[in-house]
Amino acid sequence: MPTTATPTPPTRPYIGRFAPSPSGPLHFGSLVAALGSFLQARSRQGKWLVRIEDIDPPREMAGASDLILRTLEAHGLEWDGEVVYQSLRHGRYDEIIEGLYRAGHLYWCRCTRREIMAAGGFYGGHCRELGLSASGCAARLRQRQPVYHFEDALQGRISVPAALAEEDFIIRRRDGLYAYNLAVVVDDMDCGITEIVRGADLLEPTVRQIALYQMLGAPVPAWVHLPLAVLADGHKLSKQNHAPALALDEVRPALWQALAFLGQNPPPELAEGTVAQMIAWGIAHWQLARVPHQPTILFGGNKPDT
Ligand code: GLU
Ligand code: ZN
């Protein structure tokens, strides 16, 4: 009998992305995430897309989207194709929400943040069987197949506390805004993203995102969570604590430092090179295994409205 060759699953071409929120200018921590995802994609001859996550207008800073794009260009981080704006994709999010509702994957919940906090910080399924209608309610996903662990290519196997894994989470908020977890998964799915490289502050929502991919019947991308740049006091650099914006007039010191922060050992003389030389060096020498990482513990700290 002829032996049948085992069909090899079609490998999808590598597509990565950087997905900043326009709540302020990019800082050194955002540069690390942008550069890490860019080098990981380019060193695999992959595409690298940029998406502006403008789904939360109250948190936006006027002009930040354009400033972010100019900052990426100034640092030699050229993206493929058109920039995706989440503010232009509401119809698509509604369509997905509608489909999830029809499939019985979501229900409406009227619990307030205060009620959930008073009950210990985790939502316990209060409205699951109440059959509430949409008005004045948040949309919650019914967790039927909780994800208790996943593999991160840098951090290793991540275990997730049951309370976090099993919680029905919000995909559309009571105030009508789409939740980050919904928008990020729908967009990454629609763009065919094969690997998500981002900061380790986003390790925790990953389990929810995996659960959502599974409910949507979409392939789950690979994950890489990069170390966070922290301030001397241990706090992460963020827009909230007013991390300084990246300079646009002389970008090379930050670029060299970001390569060093990512563990790539850029030679000192590269600091005198051009932006293009730094980027070319980064692509040619990129090794994910060199990126420093510490074991990461998930606390399951809850953010009910996101
Ligand atoms: N927009 C998110 C942020 O700026 C990042 C989303 C992601 O990379 O998944 O923190
Ligand atoms: Zn509820």
Side-chain angles (χ1 to χ4, degrees), residues 5 83 95 179 181 216 245 255:
V83 174
E95 183 180 285
N181 283 317
L216 294 170
L255 204 47

Side-chain angles (χ1 to χ4, degrees), residues 17 19-21 53 180 184 198 202:
R17 51 63 154 186
S21 304
E53 302 215 311
Y180 154 68
V184 79
R198 60 187 178 188
L202 294 167

Side-chain angles (χ1 to χ4, degrees), residues 11-147:
T11 39
R12 300 194 290 158
Y14 190 104
I15 308 180
R17 51 63 154 186
F18 177 59
S21 304
S23 50
L26 296 185
H27 51 74
F28 183 73
S30 358
L31 176 61
V32 167
L35 182 64
S37 62
F38 174 91
L39 295 177
Q40 176 77 351
R42 293 293 188 233
S43 64
R44 282 161 178 67
Q45 287 77 47
K47 287 198 169 146
W48 187 69
L49 313 183
V50 170
R51 175 173 70 241
I52 298 288
E53 302 215 311
D54 52 355
I55 40 162
D56 195 347
R59 285 203 205 160
E60 253 173 63
M61 189 195 95
S65 297
D66 290 344
L67 179 59
I68 287 172
L69 296 176
R70 270 195 285 126
T71 307
L72 292 174
E73 280 168 346
H75 288 79
L77 301 172
E78 283 169 19
W79 57 88
D80 292 300
E82 298 284 316
V83 174
V84 172
Y85 290 86
Q86 291 190 324
S87 56
L88 301 178
R89 291 185 40 85
H90 292 184
R92 178 65 176 143
Y93 305 146
D94 287 339
E95 183 180 285
I96 293 281
I97 291 173
E98 182 61 33
L100 288 167
Y101 184 73
R102 274 193 268 107
H105 286 313
L106 73 79
Y107 63 91
W108 301 98
C109 163
R110 64 174 173 222
C111 298
T112 61
R113 177 194 278 264
R114 182 183 298 189
E115 284 163 353
I116 293 166
M117 284 306 173
F122 276 97
Y123 168 76
H126 183 267
C127 300
R128 245 183 183 224
E129 311 304 335
L130 296 185
L132 298 172
S133 55
S135 139
C137 285
R140 276 192 195 271
L141 271 202
R142 208 183 284 276
Q143 277 284 17
R144 291 204 179 96
Q145 288 174 297
V147 175

Side-chain angles (χ1 to χ4, degrees), residues 188-268:
D188 285 336
M189 174 179 83
D190 287 354
C191 292
I193 303 299
T194 55
E195 184 173 71
I196 292 176
V197 181
R198 60 187 178 188
D201 53 333
L202 294 167
L203 203 53
E204 191 175 295
T206 304
V207 277
R208 296 181 163 175
Q209 293 169 19
I210 294 173
L212 194 42
Y213 279 101
Q214 290 175 346
M215 276 183 237
L216 294 170
V220 180
W223 307 96
V224 178
H225 286 90
L226 300 172
L228 294 182
V230 292
L231 299 168
D233 64 3
H235 285 98
K236 79 158 188 148
L237 280 181
S238 71
K239 291 160 193 162
Q240 286 71 34
N241 63 27
H242 307 292
L246 291 165
L248 280 175
D249 46 350
E250 174 55 294
V251 304
R252 296 175 310 155
L255 204 47
W256 191 93
Q257 279 164 21
L259 285 168
F261 183 86
L262 286 164
Q264 304 302 302
N265 301 327

